[in-house]
Amino acid sequence: MSFPVLYLRKGAERRLRAGHLWVYSNEVDIRRSPLADFEAGAQAELRAANDKPMGTVFVNPHALICGRLISRNSGQGMTPQRLTDRLETALALRQRLFDKPFYRWVFGDSDGLSGLVIDRFDDVVVVQISTAGMELMKESVVRAVQRLAHPRAIILKNDGKMRKVEGLDTYVEQAHGREIDLLPVEENGVRFEVPMEGGQKTGWFYDHRMNRQRLQAYAPGKRVLDVFSYVGGWGIQAACAGATQVTCVDSSAGAIESVHHNARINGLDNIETIEGDAFDALKALAEEKEKFDIVVLDPPALIPRRRDQKAGEEAYARLNQLGLRLLDRDGLLVSASCSMHLSQEKLTDIIRSSGRKIDRFVQLLEQGHQAPDHPVIPGIPETDYIKSCFVRSLTGFL
């Protein structure tokens, strides 16, 4: 295949050679290859400043990440067949990992499909496209999913924030089959139903699967507080594992309604809910002198951009202090983060500092990571974003 050429500035190829897959607009030699000459979503051959071929990229001249590597072979572009082959390779991993078809099928760059996320919910598949290049492959994506999984429904949930950055419209579309009101989910032996209308992202977060499974080992006989509960992923699983009482906190009335629905379908009658801001709810519980054996903190990304680092770290610190205050003498704090800009080490240090400020002796028992259907590419730190700390908190111990 023949492609137009996108030239890099001198030295800009180093990060790509080290394993990264993105090209930033300030790394392009716009004298030799003006970005304005490329259409959004076009494919191009990428070359270093010395004219050495680097591979093939999707180009978007309007985005900060203006190039996304498709292949390190400059003669290979993204064709419907190559797309299908990569979807099949990704599917083979998930089928090896999980005995039931509930998983993240495609995790963007980690599966060689930058800008594409696919979640599978048994025979319902939800697709999210976030880049101009992948948007042009939309019909090929749908055909490949049909061929490989034969789902009864395929939903294009293309309403994410990244689409605006790429200059794309947002929409939700039923690409195949009849409309779905509730997504069926099964995780760690527990059933959920998640509403498509108003649901977050694809409707479910498989990334904390293994951490929620670990929580089950600590839950029997305990009183649990699940903060930022969404539809009850942590709390419902804790209750099914034997927690005596679970309180779920979320600001969304729809999410709270889903918590009660998911409690019912699992035959649970020990779930309470609090609708409201998490920080306000935690303060109110502390004022009421409530205590819990386990507190789970799984907030949305409190550091969405690098410039939010300081404010976000302060928010994590406030949150962890509030969570620790609500624990009984020998309690467990599960502190989670999906902020790419917050390292595991920094989260651990925030917990250490929070414990010292309120005079708690804390023991780090376990550190969790994202589930293997969210593989990390070592050369792309952005693919490594989930972390969790299981921390035992003791009062009056030392």
Side-chain angles (χ1 to χ4, degrees):
M1 297 179 72
S2 178
F3 302 104
V5 178
L6 185 70
Y7 287 97
L8 293 171
R9 290 183 173 184
K10 186 177 180 179
E13 75 280 0
R14 292 192 191 109
R15 192 167 40 79
L16 294 168
R17 291 194 191 285
H20 216 296
L21 302 177
W22 299 349
V23 177
Y24 290 93
S25 56
N26 62 0
E27 296 174 324
V28 173
D29 186 341
I30 57 174
R31 181 184 59 81
R32 297 178 73 185
S33 53
L35 280 170
D37 290 352
F38 295 87
E39 292 186 10
Q43 299 184 41
E45 179 186 347
L46 184 67
R47 292 187 189 176
N50 63 2
D51 235 32
K52 186 170 183 178
M54 298 291 296
T56 313
V57 292
F58 278 129
V59 181
N60 188 340
H62 311 301
L64 175 63
I65 303 172
C66 68
R68 296 171 181 270
L69 206 65
I70 297 167
S71 170
R72 294 190 183 272
N73 184 330
S74 59
Q76 290 185 350
M78 184 60 73
T79 63
Q81 185 58 54
R82 185 157 292 112
L83 175 77
T84 301
D85 289 345
R86 292 188 182 178
L87 281 170
E88 191 169 20
T89 299
L91 182 60
L93 171 67
R94 279 67 178 185
Q95 290 177 330
R96 191 158 72 240
L97 291 170
F98 306 111
D99 61 355
K100 292 187 178 180
F102 298 93
Y103 41 69
R104 174 146 293 183
W105 176 355
V106 173
F107 184 43
D109 292 284
S110 293
D111 288 298
L113 293 164
S114 191
L116 181 65
V117 165
I118 301 179
D119 280 349
R120 189 173 184 183
F121 304 92
D122 195 8
D123 56 1
V124 178
V125 174
V126 180
V127 176
Q128 278 201 324
I129 293 171
S130 60
T131 60
M134 201 55 71
E135 181 73 13
L136 294 179
M137 303 291 297
K138 178 175 73 172
E139 292 182 6
S140 296
V141 171
V142 172
R143 285 197 299 270
V145 168
Q146 287 176 298
R147 176 184 159 190
L148 295 171
H150 310 290
R152 67 183 168 98
I154 301 173
I155 300 157
L156 296 173
K157 201 165 186 301
N158 293 334
D159 54 359
K161 296 176 183 177
M162 279 299 298
R163 289 182 64 88
K164 184 177 180 181
V165 174
E166 289 273 320
L168 299 172
D169 293 334
T170 59
Y171 62 90
V172 177
E173 178 183 315
Q174 192 76 30
H176 169 72
R178 301 175 68 176
E179 287 192 12
I180 303 296
D181 294 324
L182 292 172
L183 283 173
V185 182
E186 187 173 320
E187 185 180 277
N188 301 323
V190 180
R191 291 174 53 227
F192 296 87
E193 289 181 347
V194 183
M196 273 302 303
E197 185 71 29
Q200 296 183 16
K201 304 224 172 162
T202 62
W204 182 258
F205 300 95
Y206 283 120
D207 46 17
H208 270 301
R209 176 200 306 257
M210 312 306 255
N211 301 322
R212 288 191 282 257
Q213 185 178 52
R214 285 303 304 147
L215 176 65
Q216 293 189 24
Y218 294 94
K222 304 300 183 183
R223 189 172 181 225
V224 179
L225 178 66
D226 177 8
V227 188
F228 304 98
S229 66
Y230 185 38
V231 297
W234 295 84
I236 298 290
Q237 291 192 42
C240 286
T244 55
Q245 193 269 326
V246 173
T247 301
C248 291
V249 179
D250 201 276
S251 61
S252 164
I256 292 295
E257 185 178 331
S258 290
V259 169
H260 289 291
H261 175 77
N262 289 320
R264 285 193 296 273
I265 66 175
N266 284 284
L268 301 171
D269 60 2
N270 59 344
I271 307 293
E272 297 178 358
T273 56
I274 298 173
E275 181 186 338
D277 175 81
F279 288 88
D280 292 342
L282 290 173
K283 289 174 186 174
L285 287 168
E287 289 170 0
E288 295 163 8
K289 301 194 183 309
E290 291 280 2
K291 293 292 181 183
F292 299 86
D293 301 302
I294 299 174
V295 172
V296 179
L297 306 174
D298 183 18
L302 299 178
I303 312 176
R305 297 158 299 186
R306 182 74 68 184
R307 67 188 184 193
D308 302 315
Q309 191 82 33
K310 186 173 184 294
E313 288 181 5
E314 290 172 353
Y316 278 110
R318 291 197 306 275
L319 184 63
N320 280 275
Q321 286 177 42
L322 287 165
L324 285 167
R325 287 184 188 280
L326 287 171
L327 285 172
D328 221 334
R329 180 187 180 278
D330 183 0
L332 180 76
L333 176 72
V334 181
S335 182
S337 169
C338 62
S339 291
M340 179 189 70
H341 300 297
L342 185 74
S343 68
Q344 180 82 54
E345 293 74 20
K346 186 60 183 178
L347 176 60
T348 303
D349 191 57
I350 286 172
I351 294 168
R352 175 202 61 77
S353 176
S354 298
R356 291 307 312 131
K357 284 186 178 178
I358 62 170
D359 198 24
R360 295 292 177 95
F361 181 78
V362 295
Q363 299 171 322
L364 181 59
L365 306 182
E366 300 187 40
Q367 292 178 304
H369 193 244
Q370 60 213 56
D373 52 352
H374 293 67
V376 172
I377 302 303
I380 310 178
E382 292 85 355
T383 62
D384 185 6
Y385 72 105
I386 285 289
K387 68 280 300 181
S388 67
C389 293
F390 286 64
V391 177
R392 186 186 187 199
S393 171
L394 297 167
T395 57
F397 176 74
L398 186 63

